[in-house]
Amino acid sequence: DALRDEVKLAASIISMDDILRTVTAEFHVKLSELQSKKRSKSLTHPRQVAMFLARTLTHHSLSEIGGYFGGRDHTTVMHACDRIRDLSSTNPSVGASVDRLVSQLRHQRS
């Protein structure tokens, strides 16, 4: 009884695995492709979305997030977050996609 709130809080924390699983399913890409050095648009957009979600929904540092994506630099993660934030505000379909992913992730953990 005393730990009920702590257990509930721990269950509601979104992990990198949750984000990676959701993004790979949404964009139909493999985890190995997200973590690869490939820079095709079909991979960079989902990778940037995943980095943005990781930065906004987890407590991981920029370097830690970069490590999940093939050892990318913290500045790459910063660029990805800025890019998705800008796209979300100017492109309604990107904004809706990001909002849908956030909802899915939060719903999975509630």
Side-chain angles (χ1 to χ4, degrees):
D1 238 12
L3 295 175
R4 180 182 49 225
D5 291 338
E6 292 299 318
V7 171
K8 192 174 185 180
L9 178 63
S12 68
I13 295 174
I14 296 169
S15 71
M16 282 300 296
D17 288 337
D18 297 331
I19 292 170
L20 293 171
R21 188 174 31 257
T22 302
V23 169
T24 56
E26 175 73 17
F27 291 100
H28 307 290
V29 294
K30 295 178 184 173
L31 177 59
S32 61
E33 292 174 328
L34 279 186
Q35 295 173 330
S36 74
K37 297 293 182 187
K38 294 178 185 175
R39 293 171 45 179
S40 65
K41 186 174 174 113
S42 64
L43 295 176
T44 55
H45 181 70
R47 187 182 297 132
Q48 289 175 339
V49 169
M51 289 180 184
F52 174 80
L53 293 172
R55 186 66 178 150
T56 56
L57 300 175
T58 71
H59 297 292
H60 292 295
S61 70
L62 295 170
S63 295
E64 289 172 332
I65 294 168
Y68 279 96
F69 295 94
R72 287 183 161 70
D73 193 68
H74 73 280
T75 57
T76 303
V77 179
M78 288 172 46
H79 172 74
C81 293
D82 292 343
R83 176 97 171 118
I84 297 303
R85 192 176 300 110
D86 291 345
L87 279 174
S88 292
S89 64
T90 59
N91 186 332
S93 67
V94 173
S97 174
V98 170
D99 289 344
R100 184 175 58 254
L101 290 169
V102 169
S103 293
Q104 283 178 9
L105 287 163
R106 288 192 173 143
H107 180 22
Q108 288 174 1
R109 285 297 173 174
S110 59

